[in-house]
Amino acid sequence: MPEEFSCCHISPPFLSVGSDGDLNLDSTLQELSMYNFPVEISCTAGEVAHFLEKYPLLPGIILVEQGEFVGMISRRRLLEFLIRPYGRELFIQQPLGTLYSYARTPILLLGETTLILIAMQLSLKRSPELLSEPIVVQTACGAYRLLDVQELNFISWQIRGIKNFVRYERSQAQMIQNDKMASLGRLVDGVVHEILDPVGFIWGNITYVSTYSQDLLKLIAAYDQELPSFSQTIEKLKEEIEFDFLEQDLLQSLASIRTGAERLKRLVTSLQNFCHLDELYPKPIDLHTCIDNIILLIHSRIQGEIEIIKSYGQLPPVYCFMGQLNQVLINLLSEAVDTLLNEAVRQQLHLEDKKTLKKPQIKITTEVISQKPSKPHAPDSRWILIRIADNGPGMSQELQEQILESFSLESKNGKETSLAVSYRIITVKHGGKFNLRSQPGVGTEFEIILPLV
């Protein structure tokens, strides 16, 4: 455009350079290249057309009035008016404000901190005729930039590729982990069988050994009564073997062996149930037995330190995948135990008054509950409630939000936590509910709610 038609000063468009780092799922619009091209609405369309010819990649114009943002006209909209019959004669010397009154369209205005993937979703929600319109981005300092939607599409598809790759890597890692757990379960199951066999021998013979020992002691007692005068050799032998003590301690030793064999058998059986390989369909289980088995497995960690309070209700058999439910139970109980033990160590280091200290406790409650249906006139649904509560220090609101965020399938954190795994097992695999409640200074409570079939 010749200089004699100029009626206002227009600065050339400026393309801001985006971030030179690698883009990821957390990348925002401020990391992309955008055009800075503010033009006063008093300028004419002809003056702007000169810049559109000189900068073919310029997506549009930011309209301002005395420096204040008014709106945006895209390159496509402006050219549509100029190429109409007699459009050049009608609009070329008209102020942009007049042209904008005819070419006004809805504008997608976003902040520069908007995630690229979110911006892409909002862009695709526009009407079909607006999909190619550039996006106006407001910076932190109050300036306005133009983002070419094609640039946004290209970058967002790159990020989606990264997202899909991350999901693929996670799925592969999960498959490997599942395979390891299955192999470990089979290995433990084999070891358990090898342990149960000798334990069975001990358990099966201890009754006979006890009976035989009592019979032999009766026989010796009968000899004492019938033959009161023993030889010096027998008397000396009795003194050497401490017969009186042996007679009393033998039965106690046999009772100790029986108790040890019983505890070992229970422990191995609990380990076998914990490593149970789930089948294709859920099966009915005794939920209280599962909980008791888990408590037995972690007994060595809580002995003498933490009090376990069990408040069991009357429960029918629960249909579930026992191996996965065992994993959830041990995750939650281990979380509570770790919290209480860490708090006990902290209190000892700070030399707090023992009179004010409270006994670490974990309370496990089970019951059948009813919940109102979502549809009117439908019967109440029945559920199994498992509540695991501790009297530890509790969680801060920030930590609770981080844990709840990790439950989301779209979580960007590549590390899978035990609580997130537990959440998905209960909600996705069993169709139940998983709740977390915590109050600083009071304690933390986990709730598992399973549907009662």
Side-chain angles (χ1 to χ4, degrees):
M1 177 62 61
E3 291 295 330
E4 58 267 26
F5 291 107
S6 179
C7 64
C8 66
H9 174 72
I10 302 178
S11 300
F14 173 74
L15 179 62
S16 62
V17 180
S19 172
D20 56 354
D22 294 333
L23 297 177
N24 52 55
L25 300 179
D26 294 323
S27 296
T28 59
L29 295 181
Q30 61 186 343
E31 300 180 50
L32 303 182
S33 299
M34 293 178 287
Y35 281 93
N36 179 18
F37 188 43
V39 180
E40 287 286 336
I41 61 174
S42 59
C43 296
T44 64
E47 292 171 312
V48 172
H50 166 69
F51 289 97
L52 295 179
E53 293 176 2
K54 187 175 180 180
Y55 299 92
L57 298 181
L58 184 64
I61 312 158
I62 295 292
L63 296 179
V64 296
E65 185 175 11
Q66 296 181 354
E68 296 294 327
F69 175 77
V70 174
M72 182 272 298
I73 300 180
S74 66
R75 165 190 286 270
R76 184 174 64 89
R77 283 287 179 182
L78 184 59
L79 294 180
E80 282 179 356
F81 276 88
L82 294 180
I83 64 176
R84 290 179 179 180
Y86 306 105
R88 191 173 184 85
E89 291 80 0
L90 292 173
F91 298 109
I92 196 67
Q93 295 185 5
Q94 291 292 331
L96 290 175
T98 303
L99 186 60
Y100 184 61
S101 64
Y102 293 101
R104 187 190 300 261
T105 57
I107 297 174
L108 179 57
L109 176 61
L110 302 175
E112 64 176 2
T113 58
T114 305
L115 294 177
I116 293 177
L117 292 182
I118 298 297
M120 180 63 181
Q121 294 175 1
L122 296 175
S123 175
L124 293 176
K125 289 181 180 180
R126 297 184 294 180
S127 302
E129 66 273 10
L130 301 176
L131 291 179
S132 61
E133 292 287 290
I135 298 172
V136 180
V137 180
Q138 185 177 12
T139 65
C141 60
Y144 293 86
R145 305 285 186 265
L146 282 179
L147 174 60
D148 188 359
V149 73
Q150 299 301 326
E151 173 77 6
L152 176 64
N153 291 341
F154 177 73
I155 296 298
S156 62
W157 281 115
Q158 284 185 325
I159 295 178
R160 285 180 181 273
I162 297 173
K163 185 177 182 180
N164 292 333
F165 178 75
V166 170
R167 285 184 173 179
Y168 172 76
E169 289 291 323
R170 287 183 183 178
S171 64
Q172 292 297 309
Q174 188 64 40
M175 289 174 60
I176 294 174
Q177 181 66 18
N178 291 341
D179 184 65
K180 286 182 179 179
M181 293 302 297
S183 300
L184 179 61
R186 287 188 290 267
L187 177 62
V188 171
D189 189 59
V191 173
V192 164
H193 279 292
E194 292 297 323
I195 296 176
L196 280 178
D197 285 342
V199 170
F201 299 152
I202 298 173
W203 181 260
N205 289 297
I206 192 66
T207 301
Y208 300 111
V209 173
S210 179
T211 303
Y212 298 158
S213 300
Q214 292 179 8
D215 291 342
L216 290 174
L217 291 176
K218 288 179 182 178
L219 178 61
I220 295 174
Y223 271 111
D224 286 340
Q225 292 180 357
E226 296 295 330
L227 302 173
S229 58
F230 290 102
S231 66
Q232 293 294 329
T233 304
I234 294 177
E235 290 293 339
K236 185 177 180 180
L237 180 60
K238 278 188 172 183
E239 292 178 0
E240 288 179 357
I241 65 175
E242 298 181 353
F243 179 76
D244 293 338
F245 172 77
L246 184 150
E247 186 178 11
Q248 297 176 2
D249 192 57
L250 178 60
L251 296 180
Q252 295 180 3
S253 300
L254 292 174
S256 298
I257 295 173
R258 180 190 295 273
T259 302
E262 183 179 3
R263 289 182 59 185
L264 182 58
K265 186 177 181 181
R266 287 174 53 201
L267 179 62
V268 174
T269 303
S270 299
L271 184 61
Q272 187 179 37
N273 291 333
F274 176 73
C275 297
H276 177 81
L277 297 178
D278 289 320
E279 298 181 359
L280 185 60
Y281 300 102
K283 289 187 175 182
I285 67 166
D286 183 351
L287 186 59
H288 294 157
T289 300
C290 289
I291 297 175
D292 291 340
N293 288 338
I294 299 300
I295 294 175
L296 185 61
L297 289 178
I298 64 174
H299 184 264
S300 61
R301 298 188 60 203
I302 64 178
Q303 188 175 13
E305 296 288 340
I306 301 173
E307 180 183 4
I308 302 292
I309 302 175
K310 294 185 287 188
S311 178
Y312 291 165
Q314 296 293 329
L315 301 184
V318 181
Y319 280 81
C320 66
F321 297 96
M322 186 172 68
Q324 297 186 27
L325 186 60
N326 281 334
Q327 182 180 357
V328 172
L329 292 173
I330 201 167
N331 286 345
L332 299 185
L333 286 172
S334 297
E335 182 78 18
V337 169
D338 291 341
T339 300
L340 293 175
L341 292 180
N342 291 338
E343 177 64 12
V345 172
R346 187 196 67 81
Q347 292 176 351
Q348 291 178 1
L349 292 176
H350 288 76
L351 302 177
E352 296 185 12
D353 188 1
K354 293 185 178 181
K355 296 181 180 180
T356 62
L357 298 180
K358 51 187 177 181
K359 175 72 173 179
Q361 291 180 346
I362 298 177
K363 185 174 182 180
I364 305 173
T365 306
T366 63
E367 60 180 319
V368 178
I369 61 174
S370 298
Q371 293 190 348
K372 295 295 182 180
S374 57
K375 297 181 180 179
H377 308 297
D380 293 353
S381 57
R382 301 176 70 218
W383 301 74
I384 298 294
L385 170 65
I386 309 168
R387 183 183 293 113
I388 299 175
D390 65 64
N391 62 345
M395 301 181 184
S396 64
Q397 188 63 34
E398 181 181 1
L399 179 57
Q400 293 183 56
E401 292 176 357
Q402 291 177 1
I403 294 175
L404 295 177
E405 183 181 355
S406 71
F407 292 168
S408 172
L409 291 175
E410 300 298 327
S411 175
K412 305 175 184 64
N413 185 5
K415 184 179 179 181
E416 191 83 318
T417 65
S418 61
L419 293 181
V421 171
S422 302
Y423 172 83
R424 294 185 184 125
I425 289 176
I426 296 301
T427 58
V428 178
K429 196 69 176 180
H430 290 84
K433 303 174 184 178
F434 187 94
N435 300 324
L436 164 65
R437 300 186 184 91
S438 186
Q439 184 175 350
V442 177
T444 302
E445 179 180 285
F446 294 98
E447 277 189 353
I448 301 172
I449 303 178
L450 300 173
L452 185 58
V453 180

